[in-house]
Amino acid sequence: MSDSRPLTIALSKGRILEQTLPLLQAAGLHPAEDVQTTRKLMVDGDCHGEKVRFLIIRAADVCTYVEQGAADMGIAGRDSLLEYRPHVYEPLDLKIGRCRLCVCGPKALVEAGTPERGSRIRVATKYDKLASEYFLAQGIQAEIIHLYGSMELAPLVGMAERIVDLVETGGTLKANGLIEETTMCNISSRLIVNPASFATRKHSIQSIIESLRQAVELSEQTK
Ligand code: PRP
């Protein structure tokens, strides 16, 4: 990939984008158009007088774009980083997109007690690795049923006994008669950087990291 292209930053579509934009603004990163409404997937922009480029992609794909060097930096959820384990630097916790990765299930089933060691359960999730490792450590034989979204539906239709999914307000669980069994870990969005880009564009990247660090601190102080 040529180094003459503008520094490229991958942003996650969806609910994280709304929380990302004020941080970008405060850090002096300005997309030339509204990234929330445009149908464009690549948008030019400016950072302190230098050209930059934003890629607007699905959260789970940010790790791939940054790992492959198609983006120099990106904003990815800790959930994706833990699941996909890309070879990237992770210099900054942006403290947005906060939620938790949980094991959840139908209220009656969860209240009946955690599955015993050696028992078999079906688990619907998009976090195949994390879920497998978690249940393996508990001595539970988990059949992982991979889904791309709306995991909460799987127990309702008898397809799984548990789900492993993100919980923020708990509203989706409640609306579907599910409850949390265990919190596996806390999640927030992280700034990630391609290692080769960091080596070749150190000055620009460090300056963006520093601006974002200050924007995060400011935003935390005003909460
Ligand atoms: C996420 C997550 C839960 C929901 C949790 O899904 O997968 O379904 O949000 O949020 P809550 O605790 O505030 O209700 P999202 O809406 O991003 O869509 P998805 O199911 O397609 O991943």
Side-chain angles (χ1 to χ4, degrees), residues 3 5 7 66 69 71-73 87-91 191-210 213:
D3 248 9
R5 66 163 164 77
L7 196 95
V66 175
D72 301 296
M73 327 174 69
H87 181 53
V88 295
Y89 295 147
E90 191 195 314
L191 184 68
I192 59 171
V193 178
N194 174 278
S197 298
F198 190 71
T200 54
R201 301 175 151 214
K202 199 167 188 164
H203 179 74
S204 310
I205 290 177
Q206 264 181 336
S207 142
I208 291 179
I209 294 172
E210 205 36 53
R213 191 188 308 282

mmCIF file of all heavy atoms in Angstrom, residues 3 5 7 66 69 71-73 87-91 191-210 213:
data_model
loop_
_atom_site.group_PDB
_atom_site.id
_atom_site.type_symbol
_atom_site.label_atom_id
_atom_site.label_comp_id
_atom_site.label_asym_id
_atom_site.label_seq_id
_atom_site.Cartn_x
_atom_site.Cartn_y
_atom_site.Cartn_z
ATOM 1 N N ASP A 3 2.494 4.873 0.585
ATOM 2 C CA ASP A 3 2.484 5.771 1.725
ATOM 3 C C ASP A 3 2.006 7.164 1.359
ATOM 4 O O ASP A 3 1.895 8.038 2.203
ATOM 5 C CB ASP A 3 3.896 5.845 2.313
ATOM 6 C CG ASP A 3 3.919 5.198 3.675
ATOM 7 O OD1 ASP A 3 2.914 4.571 4.053
ATOM 8 O OD2 ASP A 3 4.955 5.337 4.359
ATOM 9 N N ARG A 5 -0.900 7.811 0.210
ATOM 10 C CA ARG A 5 -2.332 7.977 0.481
ATOM 11 C C ARG A 5 -2.507 8.658 1.842
ATOM 12 O O ARG A 5 -1.635 8.558 2.712
ATOM 13 C CB ARG A 5 -3.053 6.637 0.434
ATOM 14 C CG ARG A 5 -2.655 5.680 1.525
ATOM 15 C CD ARG A 5 -3.695 4.580 1.651
ATOM 16 N NE ARG A 5 -3.225 3.440 2.398
ATOM 17 C CZ ARG A 5 -3.110 3.393 3.713
ATOM 18 N NH1 ARG A 5 -3.373 4.452 4.444
ATOM 19 N NH2 ARG A 5 -2.699 2.305 4.316
ATOM 20 N N LEU A 7 -3.563 9.408 5.593
ATOM 21 C CA LEU A 7 -3.704 8.533 6.760
ATOM 22 C C LEU A 7 -5.154 8.077 6.847
ATOM 23 O O LEU A 7 -6.073 8.885 6.729
ATOM 24 C CB LEU A 7 -3.323 9.311 8.018
ATOM 25 C CG LEU A 7 -3.074 8.417 9.209
ATOM 26 C CD1 LEU A 7 -1.573 8.118 9.326
ATOM 27 C CD2 LEU A 7 -3.568 9.053 10.471
ATOM 28 N N VAL A 66 -7.506 -2.862 9.742
ATOM 29 C CA VAL A 66 -6.297 -2.311 10.373
ATOM 30 C C VAL A 66 -5.173 -3.353 10.351
ATOM 31 O O VAL A 66 -4.028 -3.029 10.035
ATOM 32 C CB VAL A 66 -6.600 -1.817 11.812
ATOM 33 C CG1 VAL A 66 -5.314 -1.359 12.504
ATOM 34 C CG2 VAL A 66 -7.616 -0.670 11.768
ATOM 35 N N GLY A 69 -3.592 -3.445 7.031
ATOM 36 C CA GLY A 69 -2.946 -2.201 6.609
ATOM 37 C C GLY A 69 -3.789 -1.393 5.632
ATOM 38 O O GLY A 69 -3.327 -0.387 5.102
ATOM 39 N N ALA A 71 -6.328 0.177 6.566
ATOM 40 C CA ALA A 71 -6.487 1.374 7.400
ATOM 41 C C ALA A 71 -5.274 1.430 8.323
ATOM 42 O O ALA A 71 -4.780 0.395 8.760
ATOM 43 C CB ALA A 71 -7.771 1.293 8.218
ATOM 44 N N ASP A 72 -4.791 2.652 8.583
ATOM 45 C CA ASP A 72 -3.634 2.792 9.472
ATOM 46 C C ASP A 72 -4.052 2.676 10.930
ATOM 47 O O ASP A 72 -3.294 2.216 11.777
ATOM 48 C CB ASP A 72 -2.973 4.162 9.246
ATOM 49 C CG ASP A 72 -2.517 4.324 7.815
ATOM 50 O OD1 ASP A 72 -1.634 3.555 7.402
ATOM 51 O OD2 ASP A 72 -3.078 5.188 7.099
ATOM 52 N N MET A 73 -5.257 3.167 11.196
ATOM 53 C CA MET A 73 -5.769 3.153 12.565
ATOM 54 C C MET A 73 -7.250 2.819 12.500
ATOM 55 O O MET A 73 -7.868 2.903 11.435
ATOM 56 C CB MET A 73 -5.662 4.530 13.241
ATOM 57 C CG MET A 73 -4.498 5.345 12.841
ATOM 58 S SD MET A 73 -4.527 7.010 13.532
ATOM 59 C CE MET A 73 -4.256 6.676 15.229
ATOM 60 N N HIS A 87 -3.213 -8.675 14.964
ATOM 61 C CA HIS A 87 -1.879 -8.188 15.289
ATOM 62 C C HIS A 87 -1.870 -6.675 15.073
ATOM 63 O O HIS A 87 -1.556 -6.191 13.981
ATOM 64 C CB HIS A 87 -0.855 -8.902 14.391
ATOM 65 C CG HIS A 87 0.544 -8.473 14.667
ATOM 66 N ND1 HIS A 87 1.113 -8.499 15.918
ATOM 67 C CD2 HIS A 87 1.492 -7.966 13.841
ATOM 68 C CE1 HIS A 87 2.336 -8.036 15.850
ATOM 69 N NE2 HIS A 87 2.595 -7.704 14.601
ATOM 70 N N VAL A 88 -2.285 -5.952 16.090
ATOM 71 C CA VAL A 88 -2.353 -4.478 16.019
ATOM 72 C C VAL A 88 -1.917 -3.914 17.375
ATOM 73 O O VAL A 88 -1.938 -4.634 18.367
ATOM 74 C CB VAL A 88 -3.795 -3.967 15.718
ATOM 75 C CG1 VAL A 88 -4.251 -4.396 14.339
ATOM 76 C CG2 VAL A 88 -4.800 -4.430 16.781
ATOM 77 N N TYR A 89 -1.530 -2.640 17.386
ATOM 78 C CA TYR A 89 -1.289 -1.962 18.663
ATOM 79 C C TYR A 89 -2.617 -1.431 19.177
ATOM 80 O O TYR A 89 -3.506 -1.099 18.389
ATOM 81 C CB TYR A 89 -0.317 -0.793 18.490
ATOM 82 C CG TYR A 89 1.077 -1.177 18.073
ATOM 83 C CD1 TYR A 89 1.824 -0.339 17.255
ATOM 84 C CD2 TYR A 89 1.652 -2.368 18.507
ATOM 85 C CE1 TYR A 89 3.118 -0.679 16.863
ATOM 86 C CE2 TYR A 89 2.943 -2.712 18.122
ATOM 87 C CZ TYR A 89 3.655 -1.867 17.298
ATOM 88 O OH TYR A 89 4.926 -2.204 16.909
ATOM 89 N N GLU A 90 -2.685 -1.316 20.491
ATOM 90 C CA GLU A 90 -3.917 -0.816 21.111
ATOM 91 C C GLU A 90 -3.537 0.272 22.107
ATOM 92 O O GLU A 90 -3.468 0.023 23.310
ATOM 93 C CB GLU A 90 -4.591 -2.015 21.809
ATOM 94 C CG GLU A 90 -5.986 -1.769 22.282
ATOM 95 C CD GLU A 90 -6.435 -2.853 23.264
ATOM 96 O OE1 GLU A 90 -6.219 -4.052 22.991
ATOM 97 O OE2 GLU A 90 -6.983 -2.472 24.309
ATOM 98 N N PRO A 91 -3.250 1.493 21.594
ATOM 99 C CA PRO A 91 -2.654 2.492 22.488
ATOM 100 C C PRO A 91 -3.631 3.233 23.403
ATOM 101 O O PRO A 91 -3.190 3.896 24.343
ATOM 102 C CB PRO A 91 -2.009 3.489 21.511
ATOM 103 C CG PRO A 91 -2.828 3.384 20.284
ATOM 104 C CD PRO A 91 -3.313 1.964 20.209
ATOM 105 N N LEU A 191 -8.715 2.509 20.495
ATOM 106 C CA LEU A 191 -8.022 2.946 19.287
ATOM 107 C C LEU A 191 -6.997 1.865 18.947
ATOM 108 O O LEU A 191 -6.250 1.436 19.831
ATOM 109 C CB LEU A 191 -7.315 4.275 19.559
ATOM 110 C CG LEU A 191 -6.620 4.898 18.363
ATOM 111 C CD1 LEU A 191 -7.653 5.368 17.329
ATOM 112 C CD2 LEU A 191 -5.756 6.079 18.800
ATOM 113 N N ILE A 192 -6.996 1.416 17.710
ATOM 114 C CA ILE A 192 -6.002 0.415 17.307
ATOM 115 C C ILE A 192 -5.171 0.957 16.136
ATOM 116 O O ILE A 192 -5.655 1.796 15.359
ATOM 117 C CB ILE A 192 -6.638 -0.956 16.956
ATOM 118 C CG1 ILE A 192 -7.665 -0.841 15.817
ATOM 119 C CG2 ILE A 192 -7.261 -1.580 18.188
ATOM 120 C CD1 ILE A 192 -8.154 -2.205 15.306
ATOM 121 N N VAL A 193 -3.946 0.469 16.045
ATOM 122 C CA VAL A 193 -3.003 0.993 15.043
ATOM 123 C C VAL A 193 -2.275 -0.165 14.377
ATOM 124 O O VAL A 193 -1.835 -1.099 15.063
ATOM 125 C CB VAL A 193 -1.974 1.943 15.727
ATOM 126 C CG1 VAL A 193 -0.957 2.460 14.717
ATOM 127 C CG2 VAL A 193 -2.660 3.102 16.427
ATOM 128 N N ASN A 194 -2.141 -0.080 13.070
ATOM 129 C CA ASN A 194 -1.355 -1.074 12.328
ATOM 130 C C ASN A 194 0.133 -0.866 12.664
ATOM 131 O O ASN A 194 0.639 0.260 12.550
ATOM 132 C CB ASN A 194 -1.607 -0.887 10.824
ATOM 133 C CG ASN A 194 -0.714 -1.774 10.000
ATOM 134 O OD1 ASN A 194 0.432 -1.437 9.750
ATOM 135 N ND2 ASN A 194 -1.238 -2.900 9.573
ATOM 136 N N PRO A 195 0.842 -1.913 13.079
ATOM 137 C CA PRO A 195 2.240 -1.752 13.504
ATOM 138 C C PRO A 195 3.151 -1.185 12.417
ATOM 139 O O PRO A 195 4.007 -0.336 12.695
ATOM 140 C CB PRO A 195 2.664 -3.174 13.887
ATOM 141 C CG PRO A 195 1.391 -3.862 14.258
ATOM 142 C CD PRO A 195 0.347 -3.296 13.340
ATOM 143 N N ALA A 196 2.966 -1.617 11.154
ATOM 144 C CA ALA A 196 3.834 -1.099 10.085
ATOM 145 C C ALA A 196 3.546 0.377 9.847
ATOM 146 O O ALA A 196 4.460 1.184 9.632
ATOM 147 C CB ALA A 196 3.615 -1.893 8.802
ATOM 148 N N SER A 197 2.270 0.767 9.902
ATOM 149 C CA SER A 197 1.922 2.183 9.750
ATOM 150 C C SER A 197 2.553 3.000 10.866
ATOM 151 O O SER A 197 3.044 4.110 10.647
ATOM 152 C CB SER A 197 0.405 2.394 9.820
ATOM 153 O OG SER A 197 -0.239 1.719 8.785
ATOM 154 N N PHE A 198 2.543 2.420 12.071
ATOM 155 C CA PHE A 198 3.112 3.163 13.203
ATOM 156 C C PHE A 198 4.599 3.418 12.970
ATOM 157 O O PHE A 198 5.113 4.479 13.287
ATOM 158 C CB PHE A 198 2.893 2.395 14.509
ATOM 159 C CG PHE A 198 3.243 3.201 15.714
ATOM 160 C CD1 PHE A 198 2.442 4.277 16.096
ATOM 161 C CD2 PHE A 198 4.374 2.921 16.454
ATOM 162 C CE1 PHE A 198 2.772 5.051 17.197
ATOM 163 C CE2 PHE A 198 4.712 3.698 17.555
ATOM 164 C CZ PHE A 198 3.909 4.762 17.929
ATOM 165 N N ALA A 199 5.265 2.448 12.360
ATOM 166 C CA ALA A 199 6.701 2.603 12.096
ATOM 167 C C ALA A 199 6.955 3.661 11.024
ATOM 168 O O ALA A 199 7.878 4.462 11.140
ATOM 169 C CB ALA A 199 7.299 1.263 11.684
ATOM 170 N N THR A 200 6.099 3.681 9.988
ATOM 171 C CA THR A 200 6.388 4.569 8.853
ATOM 172 C C THR A 200 5.718 5.944 8.978
ATOM 173 O O THR A 200 6.119 6.883 8.308
ATOM 174 C CB THR A 200 5.935 3.923 7.525
ATOM 175 O OG1 THR A 200 4.560 3.569 7.646
ATOM 176 C CG2 THR A 200 6.745 2.683 7.201
ATOM 177 N N ARG A 201 4.698 6.051 9.802
ATOM 178 C CA ARG A 201 3.973 7.332 9.924
ATOM 179 C C ARG A 201 3.848 7.735 11.382
ATOM 180 O O ARG A 201 2.808 8.207 11.826
ATOM 181 C CB ARG A 201 2.577 7.182 9.326
ATOM 182 C CG ARG A 201 2.615 6.786 7.871
ATOM 183 C CD ARG A 201 1.238 6.522 7.343
ATOM 184 N NE ARG A 201 1.225 6.823 5.937
ATOM 185 C CZ ARG A 201 0.189 7.327 5.278
ATOM 186 N NH1 ARG A 201 -0.923 7.574 5.900
ATOM 187 N NH2 ARG A 201 0.263 7.580 3.998
ATOM 188 N N LYS A 202 4.938 7.492 12.077
ATOM 189 C CA LYS A 202 4.937 7.650 13.532
ATOM 190 C C LYS A 202 4.467 9.041 13.970
ATOM 191 O O LYS A 202 3.637 9.171 14.884
ATOM 192 C CB LYS A 202 6.351 7.387 14.050
ATOM 193 C CG LYS A 202 6.398 7.066 15.503
ATOM 194 C CD LYS A 202 7.748 6.514 15.872
ATOM 195 C CE LYS A 202 7.688 6.023 17.307
ATOM 196 N NZ LYS A 202 8.769 5.172 17.645
ATOM 197 N N HIS A 203 5.000 10.072 13.300
ATOM 198 C CA HIS A 203 4.715 11.435 13.755
ATOM 199 C C HIS A 203 3.211 11.732 13.684
ATOM 200 O O HIS A 203 2.599 12.158 14.667
ATOM 201 C CB HIS A 203 5.517 12.444 12.924
ATOM 202 C CG HIS A 203 5.241 13.847 13.331
ATOM 203 N ND1 HIS A 203 5.741 14.381 14.504
ATOM 204 C CD2 HIS A 203 4.473 14.809 12.759
ATOM 205 C CE1 HIS A 203 5.303 15.622 14.633
ATOM 206 N NE2 HIS A 203 4.527 15.913 13.591
ATOM 207 N N SER A 204 2.603 11.459 12.506
ATOM 208 C CA SER A 204 1.165 11.751 12.338
ATOM 209 C C SER A 204 0.322 10.913 13.293
ATOM 210 O O SER A 204 -0.651 11.401 13.890
ATOM 211 C CB SER A 204 0.692 11.431 10.918
ATOM 212 O OG SER A 204 1.536 12.001 9.992
ATOM 213 N N ILE A 205 0.695 9.633 13.422
ATOM 214 C CA ILE A 205 -0.127 8.738 14.248
ATOM 215 C C ILE A 205 -0.010 9.118 15.722
ATOM 216 O O ILE A 205 -1.019 9.201 16.433
ATOM 217 C CB ILE A 205 0.250 7.261 13.991
ATOM 218 C CG1 ILE A 205 -0.214 6.868 12.584
ATOM 219 C CG2 ILE A 205 -0.369 6.331 15.036
ATOM 220 C CD1 ILE A 205 0.143 5.466 12.144
ATOM 221 N N GLN A 206 1.211 9.424 16.158
ATOM 222 C CA GLN A 206 1.375 9.804 17.564
ATOM 223 C C GLN A 206 0.621 11.089 17.871
ATOM 224 O O GLN A 206 0.048 11.241 18.959
ATOM 225 C CB GLN A 206 2.852 9.965 17.908
ATOM 226 C CG GLN A 206 3.376 8.683 18.534
ATOM 227 C CD GLN A 206 4.831 8.752 18.934
ATOM 228 O OE1 GLN A 206 5.590 9.551 18.380
ATOM 229 N NE2 GLN A 206 5.226 7.906 19.855
ATOM 230 N N SER A 207 0.600 11.979 16.909
ATOM 231 C CA SER A 207 -0.091 13.251 17.145
ATOM 232 C C SER A 207 -1.617 13.009 17.269
ATOM 233 O O SER A 207 -2.284 13.616 18.115
ATOM 234 C CB SER A 207 0.302 14.209 16.026
ATOM 235 O OG SER A 207 -0.748 14.981 15.635
ATOM 236 N N ILE A 208 -2.147 12.080 16.468
ATOM 237 C CA ILE A 208 -3.584 11.757 16.576
ATOM 238 C C ILE A 208 -3.873 11.048 17.903
ATOM 239 O O ILE A 208 -4.857 11.335 18.585
ATOM 240 C CB ILE A 208 -4.047 10.909 15.371
ATOM 241 C CG1 ILE A 208 -4.016 11.782 14.119
ATOM 242 C CG2 ILE A 208 -5.435 10.325 15.597
ATOM 243 C CD1 ILE A 208 -4.430 11.068 12.848
ATOM 244 N N ILE A 209 -2.983 10.127 18.290
ATOM 245 C CA ILE A 209 -3.188 9.424 19.568
ATOM 246 C C ILE A 209 -3.234 10.452 20.704
ATOM 247 O O ILE A 209 -4.122 10.417 21.569
ATOM 248 C CB ILE A 209 -2.058 8.392 19.837
ATOM 249 C CG1 ILE A 209 -2.107 7.261 18.809
ATOM 250 C CG2 ILE A 209 -2.153 7.833 21.259
ATOM 251 C CD1 ILE A 209 -0.921 6.297 18.863
ATOM 252 N N GLU A 210 -2.289 11.405 20.668
ATOM 253 C CA GLU A 210 -2.225 12.406 21.736
ATOM 254 C C GLU A 210 -3.489 13.283 21.747
ATOM 255 O O GLU A 210 -4.062 13.549 22.802
ATOM 256 C CB GLU A 210 -0.949 13.250 21.552
ATOM 257 C CG GLU A 210 -0.440 13.892 22.813
ATOM 258 C CD GLU A 210 -0.614 13.039 24.073
ATOM 259 O OE1 GLU A 210 -0.181 11.854 24.125
ATOM 260 O OE2 GLU A 210 -1.237 13.555 25.014
ATOM 261 N N ARG A 213 -6.248 11.263 23.102
ATOM 262 C CA ARG A 213 -6.077 11.046 24.547
ATOM 263 C C ARG A 213 -6.616 12.264 25.318
ATOM 264 O O ARG A 213 -7.337 12.135 26.296
ATOM 265 C CB ARG A 213 -4.593 10.833 24.861
ATOM 266 C CG ARG A 213 -4.320 10.335 26.305
ATOM 267 C CD ARG A 213 -2.833 10.311 26.635
ATOM 268 N NE ARG A 213 -2.015 9.609 25.669
ATOM 269 C CZ ARG A 213 -1.905 8.286 25.585
ATOM 270 N NH1 ARG A 213 -2.555 7.532 26.423
ATOM 271 N NH2 ARG A 213 -1.133 7.739 24.673
#
